Structures are given as C-alpha cells and as structure tokens.
Amino acid sequence: MIFAIAAALVLLSGRLYRLNAGYTIVLFVMVLLFLPVWLKNNRKAGVEKARLLDAEIYMEQLLYAFSRQGQLSASLKEVLQLFPEGDMHQVLEQAVHTVLHDYEKEDALKCGLQQIEDSYPNDRLRMIHRFLYQAEIHGGEYDGVLLLLLKDLNHWKMRMDAYRKECAKVKRNVCTAIGIAWIICMVAGYLLPERLDMEQSGIRMMSTVLFAGFLMLIYTRTDQRLAVDWLRHGYKKPDQKLEKKYQDYVDDTGKKIPVTSLVLSGVPLFGSVVAVCVKAWTGVVLCGMLFFFFLNQHKIGRRLAGRRIKREIEIAFPQWLMELSLLLQTNNVQVAIAETMPHAPYVLRPALGEFWHQITAQPESVQPYLDFLKAFSLPQVQAAMKMLYAVSTGNGGNELQQMEELIVRNQQLMRRSEELYDEDAMAGMYLLFLSPAVAGAGKLLCDMTLFLFTFFTQVSV
C-alpha cells in the first residue's frame, strides 16, 4: 500500500514537473531507496518512546517502593509486577534472578542493577541506583533525599517531554518548508518556455531530480532526530583525553614561547624582510600581521582549550556533585570524595586528586575548597564548594538539612547544563528548517538561468 502511494506521488510529481519517463524512473528509484529508511525510523521512534516511558515508570516506582520496603531486592520484585510483559519485564526478571539466586557473583545486587543500567543507559537511572545501593548497604536517613530525587525526576520527565514535543514541532515545520519549496519550484517551472532543446531540457530535469533528492535527504535527517535513544539524550561518552588536556592547560601558564611558535613566526619574518627589500609595503603589513599571529598562536590555542575545558567542567561538575551528595548521606567528606574519584569525569580527576590531598593534609582549612577549580572562574562551583565545606565542618545548622540544600543546588546546576545542551541540539534542527529554502533557491536559480539563456537564444535567432 505504501509503495503504491509512493508510486502515485512520483508519477504526479513527474507529470507536474514535466519529467520524461527516464527521469521519472530515476526519481522513483530514489524514493524506493529512502522509503525503507523512513519506515525504519518510524518503527525505531515508537520503540524508543516506549523505552523512555518504561524507564520513567521504573525509576519513579523504584523510589516509591524503596521508601516503603527499605530493601532493593524487594523493591525490584515489586516494580517487576508493574511490567507483566515487554523488554522491561525481561530485563527486570533477569536482574531479580541475579540478585536473589546468583550465588557465584561477589556482589549480586550491584550486578543486577548493572544489568538494568546496561539495557537502559541513563545518567539519572544510574544515579538513583547508586543512591539506593548506598542507602541499603550503609543505612542512614534518606527519606528527604528520596523526595528530592523524585522531584528532580519529575523535572527531568517534564523537560524531556517538552524537548520531544519541540523536536516534533520542528519536524512539522521542516515538512511544511519542504512542501512549500516543492510547490514554488513547480509553479516557477511553468515560466520556462515550452519548447527547449534536448540539452536544456535535460539540464532542467536533472536539476529537478537533484532538488528532490536533496529534499529527501533533509527530511531523512530530520526524521532521524525523532528516532534516537532518548535515554542517552545529553549523555556524552567519557573522553579520557580530557584528563591530559586539563593537566596540560594547568601546567602551561602561556608565558613561555614554545619552539613551534618561534619556527612558525620565522617564515613571515623572513617574508617581511624580502618585502621591505622589494618595497612591497602591502606584503610588509601582511607578513607583520602573520608574524604576530604565529608568535602568539600558542596563547590563542591555550585560550580556546581553556574555553572547551571550562565548558566540559560545567557539564561534569553537577554530575559529580550529585553523586558526592548522595554518598555524604553515609560518609564524611573525605571518604565520599575518595569513593567518587575512581569513576569521576575525566576532566575533574586531576583537580579532585589535588583537592583530596589538600583536605587530607588540612582537614580544617577552607582554602582547599576555595582553590578548587579556581583558575576557571566558575561562581556556581565556588558556591557549591563553600557549602560543602560547611557540611564537612558541621557548621551552619543541621547537617542533614545542609546536605539536602547541597543536593538542591546541584539539581539546579544539572538542569541548567541540560537546558544548555537542549538549546545546542535544537539549534541544529532549526538549521534543517532553513535547508529547504536554500535548496529551493538553488533550483530557482538554475531554472531562471536556463530561462534567460533560452530567451536570449531565441531572440538572437
């Protein structure tokens, strides 16, 4: 049925665009190549939407169940009953079996939770698992934090729902833009003379087929934005190189001129000497500008590297702080920081190592907290570290309340970083919205050029 509709639309388009049988067949073949991709994206979009909804229900109900049961294995069994079938049922069933009956594993509970995280990779799911695992192993007062996690989860669900709706809206706008561009170019095509020689007619029809192919590519790229793993939205693969880049940035003050800059600046310096000799003053100015650019290129590179590292820290710090806040429910600051270091974001590991050694040597001093990531001038980091110092010393009121306030502040940082990520992602989709207009302008330019060429050819005869 779908292929019949596609064939009818291709025949109609070929008729309206005055394509001959050969180019109509080429257009139909292009549609046949794209159609399976569109159908696959449609199926995948449905699957990923269902996976997202399952994960949201699982995280929410697991928190509620743990608040009642106080035990992860019992909570998992309770949540399993909410999924009588489907992928989530199979994953939870396997995880419960691992937790209750797999005696060969050293830590069956952690392995069972890891199985769920592998099937539904998501930062919040992992964070909830870590907190509940720590709460079961070490105990402590966790009711207040559970409420904060539930509130944060609801904010995340609303943000994801709004982002998905915005993506669907942009897709509709892109489809509308594609349809308008296709109709305008079709109407403009009737401005061409009816009698064209074979070469000119071939150019027009070829441009029409290329134009249609480009529009199909735009739609395919837009369609893929709604057929993604929503659970991984905002997730960045850990980059081990960031640890070395951070260390190189901190070690390099930018004051010493490296050999590379001296060598590169020597080329325009020699060119300026030659330009002076031949009295080419424009060349002297250009070579002088290149000389200063190459002589200071290491400073420019350091500044760009600093901006990238700062951006990575803004994303990584809230994630690390959330995990630290949860560990602080059952550990002191030094122990909690030590436990986060092995799996902390790579960009934070050098600073965390230095910070941990400083607070170990000076446990009562506030200076290590003030100096943490001080080189990057991040007010939100400095504010969080001051609050962390208050928690470590027990000053400023109820310690449990302080930790909850720390979690609230961190959640605000996480939401802000996630909103920035959403804005960056949406900017790419808005560019897709402009693409049909660019393609249509190219098609109109080709047709109008052909029109003028034909007109002047007929006039000169």
Side-chain angles (χ1 to χ4, degrees), residues 271-285:
S272 63
V273 172
V274 174
V276 169
C277 293
V278 299
K279 297 183 179 181
W281 306 117
T282 303
V284 173
V285 174

Side-chain angles (χ1 to χ4, degrees), residues 29-272:
V29 171
M30 291 173 60
V31 172
L32 290 181
L33 293 176
F34 279 103
L35 196 55
V37 179
W38 299 336
L39 295 175
K40 179 182 177 182
N41 287 340
N42 186 57
R43 289 193 298 269
K44 186 178 179 181
V47 171
E48 295 300 339
K49 180 182 177 181
R51 277 169 46 83
L52 175 64
L53 295 177
D54 285 347
E56 290 176 350
I57 295 172
Y58 164 74
M59 288 186 281
E60 184 178 39
Q61 295 305 315
L62 182 65
L63 289 172
Y64 282 125
F66 190 83
S67 66
R68 293 190 299 269
Q69 304 277 2
Q71 188 178 12
L72 258 177
S73 57
S75 301
L76 288 173
K77 289 177 62 178
E78 180 178 331
V79 176
L80 176 60
Q81 299 176 3
L82 301 176
F83 298 93
E85 59 184 9
D87 294 338
M88 179 61 81
H89 171 81
Q90 297 177 3
V91 172
L92 289 180
E93 190 175 44
Q94 182 181 2
V96 170
H97 181 271
T98 299
V99 172
L100 298 179
H101 305 293
D102 197 336
Y103 304 107
E104 297 181 358
K105 290 183 169 53
E106 182 177 353
D107 192 340
L109 179 58
K110 183 178 288 187
C111 292
L113 296 177
Q114 187 62 49
Q115 290 174 354
I116 301 173
E117 294 171 14
D118 291 340
S119 299
Y120 292 84
N122 180 263
D123 288 334
R124 268 179 175 74
L125 189 147
R126 181 183 63 84
M127 180 178 64
I128 290 172
H129 278 178
R130 285 187 181 278
F131 168 72
L132 297 182
Y133 178 82
Q134 293 290 333
E136 177 164 333
I137 298 299
H138 301 290
E141 296 289 336
Y142 51 76
D143 291 339
V145 181
L146 279 177
L147 292 177
L148 291 175
L149 289 176
L150 281 169
K151 185 181 296 185
D152 178 67
L153 180 61
N154 288 329
H155 278 288
W156 178 74
K157 288 163 58 178
M158 288 188 293
R159 185 182 61 82
M160 287 299 300
D161 186 56
Y163 177 75
R164 289 174 53 248
K165 288 181 178 178
E166 188 66 22
C167 289
K169 178 182 176 181
V170 173
K171 180 183 176 180
R172 290 194 298 269
N173 293 339
V174 170
C175 293
T176 302
I178 289 174
I180 292 174
W182 185 251
I183 293 173
I184 289 176
C185 291
M186 178 193 68
V187 173
Y190 285 92
L191 299 176
L192 293 172
E194 295 183 2
R195 295 184 179 181
L196 299 174
D197 58 42
M198 294 301 295
E199 181 181 359
Q200 293 169 346
S201 182
I203 294 173
R204 178 184 60 80
M205 289 187 286
M206 183 181 297
S207 67
T208 300
V209 173
L210 292 176
F211 172 56
F214 190 72
L215 292 181
M216 285 187 277
L217 281 173
I218 295 172
Y219 175 79
T220 302
R221 187 71 185 93
T222 307
D223 196 35
Q224 289 173 343
R225 293 296 187 100
L226 292 176
V228 297
D229 188 350
W230 298 110
L231 291 171
R232 287 183 176 271
H233 178 68
Y235 172 80
K236 293 186 65 176
K237 187 177 180 180
D239 186 358
Q240 299 183 16
K241 296 180 181 179
L242 286 174
E243 185 173 359
K244 184 177 184 303
K245 290 179 179 179
Y246 173 91
Q247 197 63 55
D248 292 342
Y249 178 82
V250 174
D251 294 340
D252 181 18
T253 61
K255 296 180 180 180
K256 184 179 179 181
I257 302 178
V259 177
T260 305
S261 297
L262 293 174
V263 172
L264 292 175
S265 61
V267 177
L269 180 62
F270 176 77
S272 63

Side-chain angles (χ1 to χ4, degrees), residues 245 249 300-310 376:
K245 290 179 179 179
Y249 178 82
I300 299 174
R302 185 176 186 276
R303 185 172 299 178
L304 294 175
R307 288 180 180 177
R308 189 200 167 185
I309 293 173
K310 183 177 180 179
F376 295 94

Side-chain angles (χ1 to χ4, degrees), residues 394-454:
N395 297 326
N398 184 278
E399 185 175 348
L400 182 60
Q401 182 179 356
Q402 288 178 350
M403 287 187 288
E404 291 181 359
E405 290 176 359
L406 187 62
I407 294 175
V408 171
R409 179 180 292 273
N410 174 73
Q411 289 173 341
Q412 292 173 349
L413 294 177
M414 288 185 67
R415 290 168 196 161
R416 179 55 185 161
S417 66
E418 289 166 347
E419 288 172 359
L420 291 174
Y421 182 88
D422 290 348
E423 291 174 3
D424 293 341
M426 289 307 303
M429 291 201 70
Y430 287 129
L431 288 177
L432 290 172
F433 174 69
L434 300 176
S435 299
V438 175
K443 169 62 176 169
L444 290 175
L445 180 62
C446 178
D447 287 352
M448 292 304 104
T449 302
L450 183 61
F451 172 80
L452 292 175
F453 179 80
T454 304

